[in-house]
Amino acid sequence: MIKASYEELLERIAKLSGLSKEEVEKRVEAKRARLSGLISKEGAIQVVAAELGIKFENIKLKIADLLAGMKRVNVIGKIIKMFPIKQFERNGKTHKIVSFLLADDSDIIRVVLWDTNHIALVENGKIKEGVTVEITNANVRGSETTKELHLTSYSNIELSNVVLENVKEKQEVKQTQIAKLNANDRAKIRAVVVHVFDPFYFSICPECKKRVDSVCDVHNAALHRVLLSLIVDDGTANIRVLCFTRPTLELFNINADTPEQESKQVMALRNKTTDEIKAELLGKEFIFEGRVRKNTQLNVLEFVANKITAVDPSQLVEELAKM
Ligand SMILES: [Zn+2]
């Protein structure tokens, strides 16, 4: 089942069938009416696609067009980053897995190989960083923002002579609205701080990485860390943002290059009262980059920040002027 949003499917199917979006929608509604509304719009549009003869497996797709849930898709792309082969044990047997980033001029996607024949191509150096490959019969897993291309033993990967131009070099995290966030999304949100919780200070041993009260008994060392929780709002919804040490320092525009410098800056931050911290942050707008996770205890989504940048007020004025 394709997990793309209805809007995305609608656009894709209209493009592939040559029908207008309105016409495709009309067919979806007719299908639903015939089934007395027992089928969702997402389900009905896939039935319509099948009736229109649209089989995603016959089309070579751009990476940006790969939708979570698609099966047997074909793409051509350049391997821009190869990750090391990993081994893991399952049922007493050793398995291998390897992944790489595949790019074309539209987007970048992580590709995962499980099949021993495919992994052998990486081991013998045929498939490597910098080459262009054609992949057939692969499945798109994950959600829209965490999608990955998985090859099974039915999939094929081979070198391609196609010369791709304007290949993307960096994975862009898309800016989105808080109301549209899903668990496990990597995302960028632009939002205003509306609540600041008391910061939580703690110390860890740099060697054994464990929490310590003052210093580690074994290594006689400690690094000071902080966890700051905020509630931010972008007008569509609000969400709790968890800021560990580095992102917290970024909130205060403090630079620290090493863990030791970070530790010193956390000590300095400790001298501020919660009221002072609130006065500095409340009402300020930032761009938060990070990952969405589900807090299963509270059954809500949280945003774990890994990079925070203040929105430059002059840039904001420029954007408003353009509107
Ligand atoms: Zn230690």
Side-chain angles (χ1 to χ4, degrees):
M1 181 65 108
I2 293 174
K3 277 186 273 174
S5 75
Y6 175 74
E7 262 308 308
E8 289 165 327
L9 283 170
L10 180 61
E11 223 156 84
R12 193 66 34 80
I13 290 163
K15 198 169 132 191
L16 292 172
S17 65
L19 296 172
S20 69
K21 273 167 61 170
E22 292 70 32
E23 178 58 30
V24 176
E25 280 223 275
K26 221 184 271 170
R27 292 182 185 217
V28 170
E29 285 318 314
K31 185 64 60 190
R32 292 189 75 198
R34 214 168 309 145
L35 294 164
S36 321
L38 288 172
I39 188 167
S40 68
K41 272 163 84 169
E42 288 77 9
I45 198 165
Q46 292 186 56
V47 177
V48 170
E51 287 179 355
L52 287 167
I54 295 174
K55 288 198 192 98
F56 293 107
E57 52 256 52
N58 294 334
I59 309 159
K60 212 157 278 158
L61 294 160
K62 290 270 187 185
I63 292 172
D65 288 340
L66 298 175
L67 302 176
M70 279 182 172
K71 289 200 187 329
R72 285 186 261 155
V73 297
N74 312 322
V75 281
I76 289 184
K78 184 177 172 186
I79 299 178
I80 56 163
K81 169 107 188 122
M82 177 67 75
F83 297 101
I85 297 172
K86 281 190 199 159
Q87 289 199 11
F88 64 97
E89 302 272 329
R90 191 191 284 159
N91 302 329
K93 270 178 83 181
T94 306
H95 297 268
K96 286 181 187 170
I97 177 172
V98 67
S99 65
F100 55 79
L101 295 180
L102 188 76
D104 65 9
D105 62 351
S106 72
D107 208 353
I108 297 173
I109 193 168
R110 191 184 185 97
V111 178
V112 184
L113 309 181
W114 303 84
D115 185 81
T116 47
N117 295 319
H118 297 152
I119 289 170
L121 295 171
V122 177
E123 287 174 324
N124 68 26
K126 228 179 196 173
I127 302 286
K128 59 185 179 191
E129 217 166 275
V131 302
T132 298
V133 291
E134 176 164 6
I135 292 171
T136 46
N137 268 330
N139 300 331
V140 190
R141 292 215 202 146
S143 74
E144 217 22 61
T145 37
T146 60
K147 63 187 181 188
E148 292 180 338
L149 190 63
H150 284 242
L151 276 69
T152 69
S153 49
Y154 298 107
S155 313
N156 192 41
I157 177 167
E158 57 188 52
L159 293 175
S160 166
N161 294 324
V162 174
V163 178
L164 297 174
E165 281 171 17
N166 304 317
V167 171
K168 295 254 182 205
E169 284 165 14
K170 244 180 97 197
Q171 207 156 19
E172 291 161 31
V173 182
K174 287 178 192 129
Q175 189 166 315
T176 185
Q177 295 174 331
I178 295 174
K180 289 185 179 165
L181 294 175
N182 295 304
N184 302 319
D185 281 359
R186 273 184 60 215
K188 204 192 264 183
I189 52 173
R190 177 174 169 161
V192 172
V193 178
V194 295
H195 189 85
V196 179
F197 293 92
D198 285 340
F200 174 67
Y201 296 99
F202 59 101
S203 303
I204 59 160
C205 168
E207 296 296 325
C208 40
K209 313 280 179 208
K210 281 186 191 140
R211 280 270 295 279
V212 292
D213 286 333
S214 54
V215 291
C216 176
D217 295 337
V218 183
H219 300 101
N220 192 29
L223 288 174
H224 304 294
R225 319 286 291 163
V226 61
L227 170 63
L228 183 63
S229 295
L230 314 166
I231 305 283
V232 305
D233 196 306
D234 71 352
T236 68
N238 62 55
I239 193 165
R240 182 190 279 250
V241 176
L242 302 175
C243 311
F244 287 93
T245 305
R246 183 171 285 268
T248 297
L249 295 176
E250 286 170 347
L251 281 171
F252 297 94
N253 201 21
I254 298 168
N255 289 316
D257 294 328
T258 63
E260 291 73 25
Q261 286 176 10
E262 282 177 2
S263 181
K264 264 191 207 145
Q265 295 296 349
V266 169
M267 282 303 277
L269 196 63
R270 262 187 121 141
N271 294 326
K272 290 189 200 232
T273 65
T274 303
D275 281 344
E276 284 170 331
I277 286 177
K278 281 182 178 166
E280 275 189 54
L281 299 181
L282 281 176
K284 249 194 171 176
E285 192 175 30
F286 294 94
I287 292 169
F288 301 88
E289 241 181 275
R291 187 175 280 278
V292 184
R293 73 171 187 198
K294 182 129 188 185
N295 180 322
T296 45
Q297 270 180 335
L298 301 172
N299 198 31
V300 291
L301 295 178
E302 294 175 338
F303 195 87
V304 182
N306 57 35
K307 188 171 193 291
I308 300 176
T309 13
V311 174
D312 179 2
S314 61
Q315 183 195 331
L316 195 61
V317 170
E318 258 174 51
E319 280 175 32
L320 287 170
K322 275 187 238 156
M323 285 167 81

